[in-house]
Amino acid sequence: MKIFLASPRGFCQGVRNAVNLAEKALEDYKDSLPIYILGEIVHNKYISESLNKKGLVSVKSINEVSEGSVLIFSAHGVPPAYYLEASKKNIKIIDATCSLVKRVHQKIKKYAEEDYFIFYIGNKDHEETIGVLAECPVNQYYLINNKKDLENIKNNIDLERLKNKKITYLSQTTLNIKEIQEIIDYLKTEFNIEESENQDICYATRERQRAVEDLAKICDLVLILGSQNSSNSKRLKECAENVGCEALLIDSVNDINLKEVLKNKQNIAISAGASAPEILVEELLNKIKLI
Ligand code: SF4
Protein backbone atom coordinates (compact mmCIF):
# COMPACT_ATOMS: atom_id res chain seq x y z
CA MET A 1 0.00 0.00 0.00
CA LYS A 2 1.28 3.47 -0.90
CA ILE A 3 0.56 6.50 1.25
CA PHE A 4 0.44 9.98 -0.26
CA LEU A 5 0.51 13.04 1.99
CA ALA A 6 -1.35 16.04 0.60
CA SER A 7 0.60 19.26 0.46
CA PRO A 8 -0.39 21.76 1.69
CA ARG A 9 -2.50 20.37 4.50
CA GLY A 10 -3.38 21.34 8.06
CA PHE A 11 -2.99 24.71 9.77
CA CYS A 12 -3.34 27.84 7.67
CA GLN A 13 -1.91 31.17 8.76
CA GLY A 14 -5.27 32.41 10.09
CA VAL A 15 -5.67 29.36 12.33
CA ARG A 16 -2.03 29.49 13.47
CA ASN A 17 -2.48 33.16 14.48
CA ALA A 18 -5.74 32.45 16.33
CA VAL A 19 -4.32 29.49 18.27
CA ASN A 20 -1.15 31.47 19.12
CA LEU A 21 -3.28 34.39 20.36
CA ALA A 22 -5.30 32.04 22.60
CA GLU A 23 -2.12 30.39 23.95
CA LYS A 24 -0.58 33.80 24.65
CA ALA A 25 -3.74 35.04 26.38
CA LEU A 26 -3.76 31.96 28.61
CA GLU A 27 -0.16 32.71 29.56
CA ASP A 28 -0.65 36.50 29.99
CA TYR A 29 -3.75 36.07 32.17
CA LYS A 30 -2.73 32.89 33.98
CA ASP A 31 -3.31 34.59 37.34
CA SER A 32 -6.87 35.57 36.47
CA LEU A 33 -8.24 32.44 34.76
CA PRO A 34 -10.66 31.51 33.39
CA ILE A 35 -10.67 33.52 30.22
CA TYR A 36 -13.47 33.11 27.69
CA ILE A 37 -13.87 32.24 24.03
CA LEU A 38 -17.05 32.86 22.09
CA GLY A 39 -17.71 29.46 20.49
CA GLU A 40 -14.52 27.65 19.49
CA ILE A 41 -11.24 29.38 18.60
CA VAL A 42 -11.25 27.26 15.42
CA HIS A 43 -13.50 24.34 14.54
CA ASN A 44 -11.35 21.51 15.78
CA LYS A 45 -12.10 19.19 18.67
CA TYR A 46 -8.44 18.47 19.55
CA ILE A 47 -7.51 22.18 19.65
CA SER A 48 -10.64 23.19 21.60
CA GLU A 49 -10.20 20.46 24.18
CA SER A 50 -6.51 21.21 24.74
CA LEU A 51 -7.19 24.96 25.22
CA ASN A 52 -10.15 24.23 27.51
CA LYS A 53 -7.87 22.11 29.70
CA LYS A 54 -5.55 25.11 30.06
CA GLY A 55 -8.36 27.36 31.29
CA LEU A 56 -10.19 28.66 28.23
CA VAL A 57 -13.95 28.55 28.77
CA SER A 58 -16.22 28.37 25.77
CA VAL A 59 -19.43 30.46 25.93
CA LYS A 60 -22.36 30.84 23.54
CA SER A 61 -23.01 34.53 24.21
CA ILE A 62 -21.48 37.60 25.81
CA ASN A 63 -24.20 37.40 28.49
CA GLU A 64 -22.32 34.47 30.00
CA VAL A 65 -19.11 36.51 30.40
CA SER A 66 -18.70 38.36 33.67
CA GLU A 67 -17.85 42.10 33.84
CA GLY A 68 -14.17 42.94 33.35
CA SER A 69 -13.18 39.46 32.07
CA VAL A 70 -11.04 38.60 29.05
CA LEU A 71 -12.92 37.35 25.98
CA ILE A 72 -11.47 35.99 22.74
CA PHE A 73 -13.33 36.35 19.45
CA SER A 74 -12.61 33.32 17.24
CA ALA A 75 -10.97 33.14 13.80
CA HIS A 76 -14.46 33.13 12.20
CA GLY A 77 -15.25 36.70 13.27
CA VAL A 78 -18.31 38.20 14.99
CA PRO A 79 -21.07 40.73 14.24
CA PRO A 80 -19.87 44.34 14.78
CA ALA A 81 -22.37 44.86 17.63
CA TYR A 82 -20.46 42.35 19.75
CA TYR A 83 -17.52 44.77 20.20
CA LEU A 84 -19.85 47.38 21.66
CA GLU A 85 -21.69 44.83 23.80
CA ALA A 86 -18.40 43.62 25.27
CA SER A 87 -17.06 47.13 25.91
CA LYS A 88 -20.26 48.00 27.82
CA LYS A 89 -19.35 45.20 30.25
CA ASN A 90 -15.76 46.42 30.43
CA ILE A 91 -14.65 43.13 28.85
CA LYS A 92 -11.14 43.01 27.38
CA ILE A 93 -11.41 41.67 23.83
CA ILE A 94 -8.72 39.63 22.14
CA ASP A 95 -9.69 39.54 18.50
CA ALA A 96 -8.51 36.41 16.67
CA THR A 97 -10.61 37.04 13.53
CA CYS A 98 -8.67 35.94 10.45
CA SER A 99 -7.59 38.94 8.35
CA LEU A 100 -9.17 37.32 5.27
CA VAL A 101 -12.54 37.12 7.03
CA LYS A 102 -12.14 40.73 8.13
CA ARG A 103 -11.58 41.70 4.53
CA VAL A 104 -15.00 40.27 3.59
CA HIS A 105 -16.56 42.26 6.48
CA GLN A 106 -15.04 45.45 5.06
CA LYS A 107 -16.17 44.62 1.53
CA ILE A 108 -19.81 43.95 2.41
CA LYS A 109 -19.93 47.08 4.54
CA LYS A 110 -18.55 49.16 1.69
CA TYR A 111 -20.96 47.66 -0.85
CA ALA A 112 -23.89 48.24 1.50
CA GLU A 113 -22.87 51.90 1.96
CA GLU A 114 -22.70 52.26 -1.82
CA ASP A 115 -26.27 50.90 -2.03
CA TYR A 116 -25.43 47.65 -3.80
CA PHE A 117 -27.64 44.59 -3.59
CA ILE A 118 -25.40 41.71 -2.55
CA PHE A 119 -25.72 37.99 -3.15
CA TYR A 120 -23.84 36.37 -0.29
CA ILE A 121 -22.92 32.71 -0.74
CA GLY A 122 -22.35 30.95 2.58
CA ASN A 123 -23.68 28.55 5.17
CA LYS A 124 -26.49 30.28 7.05
CA ASP A 125 -25.53 28.77 10.41
CA HIS A 126 -21.79 29.36 10.21
CA GLU A 127 -20.31 32.03 12.51
CA GLU A 128 -18.49 33.64 9.59
CA THR A 129 -21.72 34.12 7.63
CA ILE A 130 -23.55 35.46 10.69
CA GLY A 131 -20.75 37.95 11.40
CA VAL A 132 -20.38 39.17 7.80
CA LEU A 133 -24.12 39.58 7.15
CA ALA A 134 -24.50 41.58 10.35
CA GLU A 135 -22.51 44.34 8.58
CA CYS A 136 -25.28 44.76 5.98
CA PRO A 137 -28.95 45.86 6.23
CA VAL A 138 -31.19 42.79 5.79
CA ASN A 139 -33.00 44.18 2.75
CA GLN A 140 -29.71 44.63 0.89
CA TYR A 141 -28.54 41.04 0.67
CA TYR A 142 -29.78 37.61 -0.33
CA LEU A 143 -28.19 34.56 1.26
CA ILE A 144 -27.44 31.56 -0.96
CA ASN A 145 -26.58 28.45 1.05
CA ASN A 146 -25.90 26.16 -1.87
CA LYS A 147 -26.83 25.36 -5.49
CA LYS A 148 -30.32 24.20 -4.48
CA ASP A 149 -31.17 27.72 -3.33
CA LEU A 150 -30.86 28.89 -6.94
CA GLU A 151 -33.99 26.94 -7.91
CA ASN A 152 -36.33 29.41 -6.23
CA ILE A 153 -34.18 32.48 -6.23
CA LYS A 154 -36.30 34.45 -8.69
CA ASN A 155 -39.49 33.84 -6.71
CA ASN A 156 -37.85 34.99 -3.51
CA ILE A 157 -36.42 38.26 -4.75
CA ASP A 158 -38.19 41.48 -5.65
CA LEU A 159 -36.90 41.58 -9.23
CA GLU A 160 -38.57 44.93 -9.89
CA ARG A 161 -36.55 46.50 -7.10
CA LEU A 162 -33.31 45.11 -8.51
CA LYS A 163 -33.85 46.68 -11.93
CA ASN A 164 -32.02 49.90 -11.16
CA LYS A 165 -29.69 48.52 -8.51
CA LYS A 166 -26.00 47.81 -8.70
CA ILE A 167 -25.61 44.10 -7.91
CA THR A 168 -22.60 42.13 -6.72
CA TYR A 169 -21.72 38.94 -4.84
CA LEU A 170 -19.50 37.87 -1.97
CA SER A 171 -18.88 34.54 -0.25
CA GLN A 172 -17.74 32.68 2.81
CA THR A 173 -14.00 31.95 2.68
CA THR A 174 -14.11 28.17 3.05
CA LEU A 175 -16.53 26.89 0.42
CA ASN A 176 -16.04 24.41 -2.41
CA ILE A 177 -14.28 26.24 -5.27
CA LYS A 178 -16.15 24.40 -8.03
CA GLU A 179 -19.61 24.70 -6.50
CA ILE A 180 -19.16 28.37 -5.81
CA GLN A 181 -18.03 28.98 -9.38
CA GLU A 182 -21.23 27.32 -10.66
CA ILE A 183 -23.29 29.61 -8.42
CA ILE A 184 -21.41 32.70 -9.57
CA ASP A 185 -21.79 31.69 -13.22
CA TYR A 186 -25.55 31.32 -12.68
CA LEU A 187 -25.79 34.72 -10.98
CA LYS A 188 -23.86 36.35 -13.80
CA THR A 189 -26.19 34.82 -16.38
CA GLU A 190 -29.45 35.67 -14.61
CA PHE A 191 -28.69 39.03 -13.01
CA ASN A 192 -26.99 42.20 -14.07
CA ILE A 193 -23.94 41.56 -11.90
CA GLU A 194 -21.16 44.09 -12.06
CA GLU A 195 -17.90 42.46 -13.07
CA SER A 196 -15.98 42.08 -9.87
CA GLU A 197 -12.86 40.52 -8.43
CA ASN A 198 -14.75 39.01 -5.55
CA GLN A 199 -12.87 35.80 -5.05
CA ASP A 200 -13.43 35.41 -1.35
CA ILE A 201 -12.47 31.73 -1.05
CA CYS A 202 -9.17 32.06 0.79
CA TYR A 203 -5.85 30.80 -0.58
CA ALA A 204 -5.64 28.13 2.16
CA THR A 205 -8.98 26.63 1.17
CA ARG A 206 -8.11 26.70 -2.54
CA GLU A 207 -4.69 25.10 -2.17
CA ARG A 208 -5.88 22.33 0.16
CA GLN A 209 -8.80 21.49 -2.15
CA ARG A 210 -6.55 21.31 -5.21
CA ALA A 211 -4.05 19.06 -3.41
CA VAL A 212 -6.78 16.65 -2.27
CA GLU A 213 -8.43 16.54 -5.67
CA ASP A 214 -5.14 15.72 -7.41
CA LEU A 215 -4.43 12.85 -5.02
CA ALA A 216 -8.01 11.57 -5.01
CA LYS A 217 -7.68 10.94 -8.75
CA ILE A 218 -4.95 8.34 -8.15
CA CYS A 219 -6.06 6.89 -4.79
CA ASP A 220 -8.72 4.44 -3.52
CA LEU A 221 -9.24 6.32 -0.28
CA VAL A 222 -8.63 9.77 1.17
CA LEU A 223 -8.49 10.22 4.93
CA ILE A 224 -9.12 13.81 6.05
CA LEU A 225 -8.23 14.82 9.59
CA GLY A 226 -10.68 17.46 10.75
CA SER A 227 -13.86 17.98 12.76
CA GLN A 228 -17.39 17.52 11.43
CA ASN A 229 -18.22 21.19 12.09
CA SER A 230 -15.18 22.45 10.17
CA SER A 231 -16.36 23.95 6.88
CA ASN A 232 -13.03 23.71 5.08
CA SER A 233 -12.48 20.10 6.25
CA LYS A 234 -15.92 19.03 5.01
CA ARG A 235 -15.14 20.60 1.64
CA LEU A 236 -11.93 18.52 1.38
CA LYS A 237 -13.97 15.34 1.80
CA GLU A 238 -16.40 16.56 -0.89
CA CYS A 239 -13.52 17.33 -3.26
CA ALA A 240 -12.29 13.74 -3.05
CA GLU A 241 -15.80 12.32 -3.44
CA ASN A 242 -16.51 14.57 -6.41
CA VAL A 243 -13.77 12.81 -8.39
CA GLY A 244 -15.17 9.40 -7.41
CA CYS A 245 -12.84 8.57 -4.53
CA GLU A 246 -13.97 7.22 -1.17
CA ALA A 247 -13.22 9.70 1.62
CA LEU A 248 -13.55 9.81 5.38
CA LEU A 249 -13.49 12.87 7.62
CA ILE A 250 -12.19 11.92 11.06
CA ASP A 251 -11.26 13.80 14.22
CA SER A 252 -8.47 11.33 14.85
CA VAL A 253 -7.37 7.80 14.01
CA ASN A 254 -9.36 6.64 17.05
CA ASP A 255 -12.60 7.33 15.16
CA ILE A 256 -12.08 4.41 12.80
CA ASN A 257 -11.24 0.73 12.67
CA LEU A 258 -8.04 1.33 10.71
CA LYS A 259 -7.46 -2.28 9.67
CA GLU A 260 -10.99 -2.52 8.29
CA VAL A 261 -10.80 0.86 6.54
CA LEU A 262 -7.49 0.06 4.82
CA LYS A 263 -8.50 -3.45 3.72
CA ASN A 264 -7.83 -4.02 -0.01
CA LYS A 265 -6.62 -0.44 -0.51
CA GLN A 266 -3.63 0.10 -2.80
CA ASN A 267 -3.14 3.85 -2.64
CA ILE A 268 -4.35 6.10 0.13
CA ALA A 269 -4.03 9.84 0.60
CA ILE A 270 -3.99 11.77 3.84
CA SER A 271 -4.85 15.42 4.30
CA ALA A 272 -5.96 17.69 7.15
CA GLY A 273 -8.33 20.64 7.26
CA ALA A 274 -6.96 24.13 7.91
CA SER A 275 -7.90 23.85 11.58
CA ALA A 276 -6.43 20.37 12.21
CA PRO A 277 -2.96 20.14 13.79
CA GLU A 278 -0.17 18.03 12.26
CA ILE A 279 0.07 15.90 15.39
CA LEU A 280 -3.16 14.17 14.29
CA VAL A 281 -1.57 13.26 10.93
CA GLU A 282 1.52 11.91 12.70
CA GLU A 283 -0.65 9.84 15.03
CA LEU A 284 -2.48 8.34 12.05
CA LEU A 285 0.78 7.54 10.23
CA ASN A 286 2.23 5.86 13.31
CA LYS A 287 -0.83 3.65 13.67
CA ILE A 288 -0.70 2.72 9.96
CA LYS A 289 2.94 1.63 10.38
CA LEU A 290 1.90 -0.78 13.12
CA ILE A 291 -0.56 -2.65 10.90
S1 SF4 B 1 -9.23 28.88 6.32
FE1 SF4 B 1 -8.81 30.82 5.26
S2 SF4 B 1 -10.26 32.29 6.14
FE2 SF4 B 1 -10.21 30.52 7.53
S3 SF4 B 1 -8.64 31.06 9.04
FE3 SF4 B 1 -7.59 29.94 7.41
S4 SF4 B 1 -6.81 31.54 5.99
FE4 SF4 B 1 -8.39 32.48 7.32
Side-chain angles (χ1 to χ4, degrees):
M1 186 180 73
K2 275 192 186 157
I3 301 169
F4 297 87
L5 288 176
S7 177
R9 65 176 177 277
F11 273 17
C12 60
Q13 198 53 46
V15 165
R16 207 178 300 280
N17 289 344
V19 174
N20 287 346
L21 272 175
E23 298 271 11
K24 185 173 181 308
L26 284 164
E27 183 56 32
D28 290 349
Y29 296 96
K30 62 174 181 249
D31 296 329
S32 47
L33 294 176
I35 61 175
Y36 298 90
I37 171 80
L38 197 58
E40 288 184 291
I41 185 79
V42 295
H43 286 152
N44 184 266
K45 197 173 159 204
Y46 178 93
I47 295 291
S48 293
E49 286 179 356
S50 62
L51 291 173
N52 291 350
K53 275 186 207 146
K54 292 178 185 171
L56 192 61
V57 172
S58 183
V59 291
K60 289 203 173 94
S61 95
I62 297 176
N63 290 337
E64 296 172 58
V65 182
S66 42
E67 295 251 348
S69 302
V70 176
L71 173 65
I72 305 175
F73 287 156
S74 79
H76 312 108
V78 295
Y82 286 19
Y83 293 88
L84 188 63
E85 202 180 326
S87 78
K88 279 184 186 159
K89 288 181 81 175
N90 200 23
I91 289 169
K92 174 164 175 49
I93 295 167
I94 295 174
D95 191 356
T97 308
C98 174
S99 58
L100 300 180
V101 173
K102 274 200 175 148
R103 199 178 63 174
V104 186
H105 277 248
Q106 285 154 7
K107 279 162 81 172
I108 199 164
K109 203 170 152 199
K110 181 172 161 285
Y111 282 129
E113 282 164 5
E114 291 173 6
D115 203 29
Y116 273 81
F117 185 82
I118 302 140
F119 288 106
Y120 180 84
I121 309 156
N123 183 312
K124 70 177 169 47
D125 299 319
H126 195 281
E127 291 92 332
E128 182 181 330
T129 297
I130 294 166
V132 167
L133 291 182
E135 302 275 7
C136 184
V138 285
N139 62 350
Q140 258 181 273
Y141 69 80
Y142 184 83
L143 172 62
I144 301 168
N145 269 281
N146 50 43
K147 275 195 293 186
K148 272 194 179 159
D149 284 358
L150 298 178
E151 287 166 15
N152 277 324
I153 196 166
K154 291 203 163 173
N155 297 329
N156 295 337
I157 288 179
D158 181 355
L159 296 172
E160 207 45 45
R161 190 178 148 238
L162 287 199
K163 270 189 182 159
N164 300 315
K165 276 259 183 203
K166 293 178 283 186
I167 309 172
T168 191
Y169 59 86
L170 292 169
S171 83
Q172 196 180 326
T173 53
T174 51
L175 301 180
N176 181 297
I177 308 173
K178 288 198 172 142
E179 180 171 356
I180 205 166
Q181 195 52 54
E182 285 174 38
I183 294 174
I184 291 169
D185 289 346
Y186 174 90
L187 293 174
K188 282 183 173 172
T189 313
E190 299 298 324
F191 299 94
N192 190 19
I193 304 265
E194 274 194 14
E195 207 40 65
S196 83
E197 292 169 12
N198 288 333
Q199 286 301 332
D200 300 311
I201 306 283
C202 72
Y203 71 96
T205 299
R206 285 174 188 281
E207 289 171 354
R208 280 155 189 71
Q209 287 183 16
R210 285 204 184 103
V212 162
E213 198 178 302
D214 287 349
L215 288 177
K217 287 175 186 160
I218 56 162
C219 288
D220 326 290
L221 171 70
V222 181
L223 293 173
I224 312 283
L225 273 315
S227 291
Q228 299 297 331
N229 61 344
S230 160
S231 174
N232 80 83
S233 303
K234 283 194 284 190
R235 302 292 90 80
L236 293 181
K237 179 173 181 276
E238 282 170 17
C239 281
E241 288 170 341
N242 288 346
V243 294
C245 185
E246 185 186 342
L248 293 172
L249 174 61
I250 51 173
D251 265 302
S252 81
V253 64
N254 301 323
D255 284 4
I256 49 173
N257 179 336
L258 199 55
K259 232 180 189 172
E260 203 51 43
V261 164
L262 298 183
K263 207 162 142 189
N264 301 326
K265 299 288 188 282
Q266 303 292 317
N267 296 321
I268 69 153
I270 297 173
S271 184
S275 45
E278 185 65 9
I279 191 170
L280 298 172
V281 174
E282 286 164 13
E283 194 185 33
L284 171 61
L285 285 171
N286 288 337
K287 289 262 169 78
I288 292 174
K289 279 181 204 154
L290 294 176
I291 289 181

